Amino acid sequence: MNKYWFYKVGLVVVFLCFAVVGGAKVKLPALVSDGMVLQRGEQVNLWGTAAPGETVNVAFLKKKYKTVADAQGNWKLMLPALKAGGPYTMTINDIELKDILVGDVWVCSGQSNMELPVARVTDRFRDEITADSNYPMVRYIKTPLLYDFHAPQTDIPGISWKAMTPENVMSFSALVYFFAKDFYQKTKVPVGVINSSVGGSPVEAWLSEEALRPFPSYLNEKRIYESDDLIASMKKEERKKSHAWNVALYQGDKGMHEATPWYADGYDDSDWQQTELFASGWATNGLNPINGSHWFRKDFQVSEQQAGEQATLRLGCIVDADSVYVNGTFVGTVSYQYPPRIYTIPAGLLKAGKNTVTIRLFSYGGRPHFVKEKPYKILFGKGQPEKGELEISLEGNWKYRLGAPMPAAPGQTAFHYKPAGLYNAMIAPLLNYTVSGIIWYQGESNVSRRNEYKALLSAMITDWRGRWNRPEMPFYIIELADFLSPEDKGGRAAWAEFRKVQAEVADTNANVTLIKNGDLGEWNDIHPLDKKTLGQRLSRAVFQQRSN
């Protein structure tokens, strides 16, 4: 081998090294992207990855900043405190970020009442949402459901900032919508919200492993689910059981297999028993609930004028799930109990004279029923009876027949509710982002363990503050709304005790504010609609605190 050969090989190696380094461009986390809101009045973190030793240049607001990626390829720098404004543009090496605002940024977390979208409150606030939802200086991110039991994660891929516009607003959290809009109207300061919440989640899922150390039972539970193989095998087995249950339900349901299905137009239901919509006799065997499928049919009359029109079918809320047919045609389904049943009856389906609505109700494990004091009707026009559109009531007597009695459906393990899982995947990736504070609406899933909630939530507050490196970062706790039937005295007492625990957390932790919400509840709905009053109360509290 001659020197010339070694020379050529050396050139190739050097070339390849430059190619590798040159290809390792700066990468940014999903939060640092077009449309983001940077926190005003605080030093602001920017971070990402690059080739080890690579220089990272940032240009923003006519100033330049520089740092160097460390040996692992991580880099981070701080911008000085910024004044509210925008939109601006930022460059980070060869990346250009557009439409950046500077204002107040909030992390909103908790469970379903924090998640509940604007679309779910349009019954009550349709006109306002339609006429007043264009606030492009308000930006929003909803993190997807993720969990991890191994370690805190560093990014949440696939998320992006969205402006509050009519095109986007229906997916915004309803509470966030009313809070952010009201706060912007008060201050004219841009608002950014990162909504990292999961319906049904207990508080322990949002604590880090370190914060769980004083709670060994939860820490040990977390350790059980560190095995990916265990989770995969449990999921596989549970899917098999669920599939078998559903197959048995279908095979055993006479309503699906008779020569004329029970949902068919013109089916003879003359031998079915009569039951009042809110009666309970059909739902039990005299002592225990009957799970499986239950069928209901009701005839209603439509005029010549209404025939052929599109209409809206409202069936309140149903425990647990349903499939619905009008004149033998499938019009909709909901797979769990909480969402309002709002189904469109397409134009041409209704006919003059007698029509029939059929409900196939599914009960998985509790007492099946129709929730009282909800709308059960057919609406013509725009479906807004308060504006004078015609409606046909569906309350009163229905025809009833049991389809397939079943044992309770096999349970599904909610792995994302296990300790530390949500913290690792949905909070840890946010910790570098500079924020104004935390808004927390959670607790429904911890009412039965309210005796330990004060310690758990206080530990979470301390932990989050430490990890954001802000020992007195503001926390706003949303009080649980009133819930449960007046007849359920024990349940109502438990919820009242829980609200006292929430107040104790606010009283014993500095810079924690309780936002009153108990009076805004609905006894028959764990998701009360009046998020407007609540959002305005929250906005007022934040505004007063920032003004002091």
Side-chain angles (χ1 to χ4, degrees):
M1 296 182 185
N2 56 38
K3 293 181 180 180
Y4 180 68
W5 184 88
F6 280 109
Y7 175 74
K8 289 196 295 183
V9 171
L11 285 177
V12 170
V13 170
V14 171
F15 175 79
L16 290 174
C17 288
F18 276 108
V20 170
V21 172
K25 293 183 178 180
V26 168
K27 293 183 180 179
L28 302 175
L31 284 173
V32 181
S33 56
D34 291 344
M36 66 179 172
V37 182
L38 300 177
Q39 178 60 42
R40 63 168 170 154
E42 305 276 350
Q43 288 186 315
V44 172
N45 289 325
L46 294 176
W47 74 101
T49 61
E54 182 175 356
T55 299
V56 179
N57 295 292
V58 176
F60 186 58
L61 295 178
K62 299 181 180 180
K63 294 185 178 180
K64 295 183 178 180
Y65 310 88
K66 180 184 296 186
T67 189
V68 176
D70 65 18
Q72 287 72 45
N74 298 310
W75 62 268
K76 184 176 180 180
L77 61 76
M78 274 191 175
L79 303 182
L82 305 168
K83 293 182 179 180
Y88 304 120
T89 298
M90 175 187 294
T91 60
I92 302 176
N93 283 17
D94 61 347
I95 300 172
E96 183 178 69
L97 302 179
K98 301 176 182 178
D99 195 26
I100 298 169
L101 303 178
V102 178
D104 287 325
V105 183
W106 298 91
V107 170
C108 293
S109 190
Q111 53 184 111
S112 54
N113 270 300
M114 183 62 84
E115 275 195 304
L116 192 80
V118 168
R120 285 275 293 275
V121 302
T122 52
D123 270 2
R124 184 157 182 171
F125 301 108
R126 185 185 310 274
D127 288 347
E128 176 176 346
I129 293 166
T130 300
D132 191 29
S133 59
N134 192 31
Y135 289 82
M137 302 299 273
V138 174
R139 305 290 169 82
Y140 180 75
I141 277 183
K142 176 64 175 74
T143 62
L145 170 57
L146 298 166
Y147 62 91
D148 191 286
F149 299 112
H150 298 296
Q153 301 302 294
T154 58
D155 198 7
I156 303 177
I159 58 176
S160 60
W161 292 92
K162 296 185 182 301
M164 186 189 287
T165 63
E167 295 77 22
N168 296 328
V169 74
M170 287 298 177
S171 64
F172 277 39
S173 156
L175 173 57
V176 168
Y177 166 75
F178 288 113
F179 157 69
K181 182 171 73 169
D182 190 77
F183 191 74
Y184 178 75
Q185 289 172 339
K186 282 183 168 69
T187 65
K188 303 304 179 187
V189 170
V191 179
V193 174
I194 305 168
N195 185 352
S196 196
S197 53
V198 175
S201 58
V203 66
E204 60 269 19
W206 297 101
L207 271 71
S208 70
E209 182 171 353
E210 291 77 8
L212 286 170
R213 285 176 181 165
F215 310 97
S217 175
Y218 291 121
L219 186 59
N220 290 331
E221 183 180 9
K222 183 258 184 190
R223 288 170 176 153
I224 292 171
Y225 297 102
E226 291 175 358
S227 169
D228 293 336
D229 288 343
L230 173 64
I231 291 176
S233 64
M234 289 178 67
K235 286 182 176 180
K236 182 178 180 180
E237 189 66 23
E238 290 174 358
R239 282 195 297 266
K240 288 167 60 177
K241 289 181 179 179
S242 179
H243 176 73
W245 191 89
N246 283 292
V247 168
L249 172 69
Y250 178 76
Q251 291 175 340
D253 193 335
K254 296 178 182 178
M256 301 300 290
H257 300 293
E258 287 190 356
T260 303
W262 294 357
Y263 59 80
D265 188 24
Y267 172 81
D268 182 6
D269 57 19
S270 59
D271 62 343
W272 287 27
Q273 72 183 73
Q274 294 259 2
T275 185
E276 202 273 332
L277 187 64
F278 303 117
S280 59
W282 60 270
T284 75
N285 61 12
L287 180 62
N288 296 309
I290 300 174
N291 300 127
S293 63
H294 303 262
W295 289 79
F296 298 83
R297 288 173 59 93
K298 188 178 183 66
D299 296 335
F300 59 95
Q301 296 292 316
V302 169
S303 69
E304 291 279 357
Q305 182 179 355
Q306 296 159 353
E309 287 187 22
Q310 178 176 300
T312 301
L313 174 61
R314 299 298 305 269
L315 290 173
C317 292
I318 300 174
V319 180
D320 291 299
D322 57 277
S323 291
V324 179
Y325 306 81
V326 173
N327 293 339
T329 297
F330 175 75
V331 295
T333 184
V334 169
S335 61
Y336 66 110
Q337 69 182 73
Y338 293 117
R341 273 55 172 181
I342 307 175
Y343 301 131
T344 297
I345 302 175
L349 183 54
L350 295 177
K351 55 193 176 184
K354 188 180 83 168
N355 295 260
T356 306
V357 58
T358 304
I359 302 171
R360 187 183 181 216
L361 183 153
F362 306 92
S363 176
Y364 300 133
R367 185 179 70 82
H369 63 279
F370 295 88
V371 177
K372 295 180 179 179
E373 298 184 19
K374 294 288 184 180
Y376 296 85
K377 60 186 68 175
I378 293 171
L379 301 166
F380 293 87
K382 295 181 180 179
Q384 295 174 264
E386 70 276 6
K387 295 198 163 193
E389 277 85 1
L390 181 65
E391 65 180 62
I392 298 172
S393 173
L394 295 176
E395 294 190 12
N397 289 331
W398 285 63
K399 295 288 189 70
Y400 166 77
R401 190 173 179 182
L402 177 63
M406 293 284 292
Q412 302 286 307
T413 303
F415 295 102
H416 51 289
Y417 293 169
K418 301 304 179 184
L422 298 182
Y423 169 83
N424 281 343
M426 297 179 65
I427 296 298
L430 312 179
L431 295 175
N432 275 330
Y433 207 81
T434 308
V435 302
S436 185
I438 308 295
I439 300 166
W440 177 253
Y441 192 162
Q442 189 277 336
E444 296 92 339
S445 293
N446 286 90
V447 169
S448 63
R449 294 173 285 132
R450 56 195 175 277
N451 58 311
E452 60 188 24
Y453 190 75
K454 179 181 177 182
L456 284 165
L457 184 56
S458 296
M460 190 197 83
I461 291 171
T462 299
D463 189 53
W464 286 18
R465 283 173 164 172
R467 294 179 187 281
W468 256 288
N469 198 27
R470 295 190 59 199
E472 295 188 357
M473 180 168 62
F475 261 76
Y476 295 88
I477 298 174
I478 307 297
E479 181 184 53
L480 287 197
D482 196 23
F483 180 54
L484 298 174
S485 166
E487 299 172 1
D488 187 355
K489 298 188 184 302
R492 291 180 66 83
W495 280 62
E497 290 171 10
F498 188 87
R499 285 191 284 271
K500 291 180 181 178
V501 173
Q502 290 181 301
E504 290 175 10
V505 174
D507 289 341
T508 56
N509 289 274
N511 214 20
V512 176
T513 304
L514 183 70
I515 306 299
K516 183 175 175 57
N517 186 38
D519 59 321
L520 301 180
E522 300 173 27
W523 75 266
N524 60 355
D525 200 333
I526 201 169
H527 303 120
L529 294 181
D530 190 4
K531 296 297 189 284
K532 178 179 179 179
T533 302
L534 178 59
Q536 291 175 338
R537 288 176 180 176
L538 175 61
S539 171
R540 185 163 56 248
V542 172
F543 181 77
Q544 290 174 348
Q545 187 174 53
R546 288 199 67 100
S547 299
N548 290 338

